[in-house]
C-alpha cells in the first residue's frame, strides 16, 4: 500500500489534474444522478474500450481541483435531491492519486456521496485518505483468469485482486462491474469462478454485468489504433442475462 496521500484543502487551488471531460449521468456511475469527472490516462489497453481517447494523458486538459470542485458545486442541490453524488472515473483516476484524493475529499466537503470508478490496476497508489473520502468503489474486474485478463487488457491481474482484497479488509462498499465479451470471458467455467471470487470478498453489494458493444469503434481508426475485437459481435441480451444468473446463483445481487 502506498503512503497516505493527504491533500491540504488550500493546496487544491494549485493542484492540477489531466481531465478528459465531465458529464451528468443517472443510474450507471453509482446511485442517483451524478456529476461524473473523467480523468485522462490509463495504464490498461482494454480490447473493448469504447473511449480509447482517454488512454493517454496527452488527451486531457489541465484543471485545478478548485476549478473542478466549483463546477461540481453548481449541481450540488440538483444531484443531492436525486440521492446522487459525485463520481471520478477515467481513464484511470488512480493514475493521478493526489488529484483524485483532492476531488473526492472536496466532494465530501460539499456534502455529496462520492464514488471511485477504477479497474484497481493501480490500487496500490490509493492512500487511506483517498479511500476514507470514498463512499463507494465501482471496481471493474474484467476477468478472473490471469491469462484472459492479460489478453483483454495488456496488464497484470494481480494488482486488481490485491486491491479488491484490501477493500474487503476495510469493509469498503463495492459494486463490481464486469463487461461480458463473447468468445473471450463468457465461458461458463470462467463465469462461475469469477462469481465465486466476487462472492468470497463479502463487501460487494451488487454486480453490474455489462454487455460488450461496438459503439465508439470508429474512434480506433481515427486514432490509428488496431481494433482487436474486429469481427466480435456485441453481447446479446440473452448472453448478458445468463451471466447475471451465474452471479446471482453465487448469492450476489446482479440486477
Amino acid at each position: 500500500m502506498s503512503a497516505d496521500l493527504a491533500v491540504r484543502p488550500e493546496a487544491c487551488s494549485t493542484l492540477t489534474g489531466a481531465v478528459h471531460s465531465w458529464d451528468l449521468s443517472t443510474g450507471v456511475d453509482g446511485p442517483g444522478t451524478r456529476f461524473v469527472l473523467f480523468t485522462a490516462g490509463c495504464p490498461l489497453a482494454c480490447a473493448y474500450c469504447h473511449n480509447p481517447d482517454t488512454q493517454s494523458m496527452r488527451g486531457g486538459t489541465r484543471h485545478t481541483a478548485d476549478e473542478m470542485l466549483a463546477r461540481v458545486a453548481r449541481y450540488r442541490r440538483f444531484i443531492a435531491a436525486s440521492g446522487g453524488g459525485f463520481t471520478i472515473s477515467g481513464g484511470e483516476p488512480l493514475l493521478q492519486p493526489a488529484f483524485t484524493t483532492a476531488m473526492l475529499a472536496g466532494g465530501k466537503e460539499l456534502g455529496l456521496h462520492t464514488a471511485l470508478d477504477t479497474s484497481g490496476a493501480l490500487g496500490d497508489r490509493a492512500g487511506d485518505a483517498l479511500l476514507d473520502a470514498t463512499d463507494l468503489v465501482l471496481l471493474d474486474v474484467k476477468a478472473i483468469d490471469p491469462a484472459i485478463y492479460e489478453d483483454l487488457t495488456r496488464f497484470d491481474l494481480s494488482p486488481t485482486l490485491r486491491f479488491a482484497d484490501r477493500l474487503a479488509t476495510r469493509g469498503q462498499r463495492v459494486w463490481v462491474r464486469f463487461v461480458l465479451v463473447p468468445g473471450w470471458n463468457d465461458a461458463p467455467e470462467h463465469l462461475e469462478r469469477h462469481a465465486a471470487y466476487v462472492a468470497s470478498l463479502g463487501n460487494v453489494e451488487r454486480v453490474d454485468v455489462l454487455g460488450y458493444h461496438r459503439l465508439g469503434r470508429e474512434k480506433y481508426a481515427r486514432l490509428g489504433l488496431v481494433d482487436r475485437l474486429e469481427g466480435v459481435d456485441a453481447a446479446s441480451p440473452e448472453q448478458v442475462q445468463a451471466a447475471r444468473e451465474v452471479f446471482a446463483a453465487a448469492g450476489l445481487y446482479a440486477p
Side-chain angles (χ1 to χ4, degrees):
M1 179 170 50
S2 65
D4 209 10
L5 287 166
V7 177
R8 295 177 296 110
E10 59 268 26
C12 292
S13 60
T14 57
L15 177 64
T16 66
V19 174
H20 178 270
S21 56
W22 55 86
D23 201 356
L24 292 176
S25 74
T26 300
V28 294
D29 298 290
T33 299
R34 309 189 70 81
F35 185 104
V36 185
L37 176 68
F38 298 94
T39 58
C42 182
L44 276 59
C46 296
Y48 57 74
C49 181
H50 63 278
N51 286 317
D53 47 317
T54 66
Q55 292 178 7
S56 172
M57 290 186 71
R58 293 192 299 273
T61 303
R62 304 300 301 192
H63 290 276
T64 68
D66 266 359
E67 286 177 315
M68 294 314 306
L69 287 169
R71 189 172 294 272
V72 175
R74 297 178 196 172
Y75 300 93
R76 175 173 51 183
R77 290 186 177 84
F78 170 67
I79 59 182
S82 75
F86 166 64
T87 297
I88 187 163
S89 184
E92 173 51 66
L94 294 182
L95 191 62
Q96 305 178 67
F99 180 72
T100 297
T101 302
M103 291 301 303
L104 290 167
K108 294 296 290 182
E109 290 177 4
L110 290 172
L112 296 174
H113 178 278
T114 57
L116 169 70
D117 183 5
T118 177
S119 70
L122 299 180
D124 290 343
R125 298 190 180 188
D128 287 340
L130 187 155
L131 294 178
D132 288 345
T134 303
D135 293 312
L136 176 68
V137 177
L138 307 173
L139 183 61
D140 189 356
V141 184
K142 302 168 189 296
I144 200 60
D145 181 277
I148 296 174
Y149 186 94
E150 185 172 355
D151 205 17
L152 275 171
T153 69
R154 300 293 193 245
F155 207 82
D156 180 27
L157 171 62
S158 58
T160 291
L161 300 186
R162 187 163 60 244
F163 185 57
D165 290 344
R166 178 180 166 207
L167 295 176
T169 298
R170 286 175 55 94
Q172 193 108 21
R173 295 181 59 207
V174 170
W175 291 6
V176 162
R177 288 177 163 179
F178 172 68
V179 178
L180 185 75
V181 186
W184 286 62
N185 61 0
D186 62 337
E189 61 272 18
H190 179 271
L191 292 173
E192 290 168 4
R193 181 180 168 193
H194 200 135
Y197 170 73
V198 173
S200 74
L201 294 171
N203 63 324
V204 176
E205 297 182 353
R206 64 183 277 168
V207 177
D208 289 321
V209 179
L210 309 173
Y212 163 69
H213 59 73
R214 295 198 56 80
L215 300 177
R217 305 312 294 184
E218 73 283 351
K219 294 180 181 179
Y220 282 72
R222 189 167 71 245
L223 295 171
L225 300 174
V226 175
D227 182 357
R228 295 193 287 127
L229 296 185
E230 181 69 37
V232 175
D233 291 332
S236 70
E238 293 77 15
Q239 289 172 314
V240 172
Q241 182 56 34
R244 287 178 179 145
E245 290 172 2
V246 173
F247 284 96
L252 296 159
Y253 176 55

